[in-house]
Amino acid sequence: MQDPPQLTLPPTVVATHLRSCAEELAAGLRCGGPGATTAELTDVVAQLVAGQEAISHALAGLARRVETGSEALAAAPPLDVEVVAEVLREAAIAARCSAEALDEVTPSFECVSESVAPDTRL
């Protein structure tokens, strides 16, 4: 069995890149950017599902690090450490629920896409 690939960039760099990409996508879809075909938007939804799942895993990983970092976090108030870990766990669940909701609407989104001309842009 192969080991999963190791992160080669610092987490802050990866998170900053994720934020920049999400902001660019939001601006393009919100502010009347160049538009996309309905088929392209179906692909966007699929990528967002995968992204939400990855964010869920990242948040759960952060929660585990906070929970298991007792020695490194010994100077921090235990209640605050517990609260941070709990909020990260709940955020991971929320991201997973978002992915599941998007995934459930995918068949309807595909149906809408198939009901219009292939070059219809939104």
Side-chain angles (χ1 to χ4, degrees):
M1 186 159 123
Q2 241 180 358
D3 289 334
Q6 296 297 311
L7 186 63
T8 57
L9 296 171
T12 54
V13 171
V14 176
T16 301
H17 182 68
L18 173 66
R19 177 182 172 185
S20 295
C21 290
E23 288 173 349
E24 183 73 19
L25 179 62
L29 294 175
R30 176 182 63 240
C31 298
T37 66
T38 54
E40 289 169 332
L41 291 178
T42 299
D43 290 342
V44 168
V45 171
Q47 292 300 322
L48 290 173
V49 168
Q52 286 297 100
E53 290 170 348
I55 289 170
S56 176
H57 291 296
L59 289 165
L62 283 171
R64 279 190 299 280
R65 285 189 178 221
V66 169
E67 291 169 332
T68 61
S70 56
E71 284 185 37
L73 300 175
L79 180 60
D80 289 335
V81 172
E82 185 180 325
V83 166
V84 168
E86 178 64 22
V87 167
L88 289 168
R89 279 193 305 274
E90 293 301 319
I93 292 168
R96 188 176 67 242
C97 289
S98 174
E100 290 170 359
L102 283 170
D103 196 40
E104 287 177 12
V105 78
T106 297
S108 294
F109 206 104
E110 289 169 349
C111 182
V112 168
S113 179
E114 293 167 359
S115 299
V116 297
D119 59 347
T120 298
R121 299 185 80 74
L122 298 174

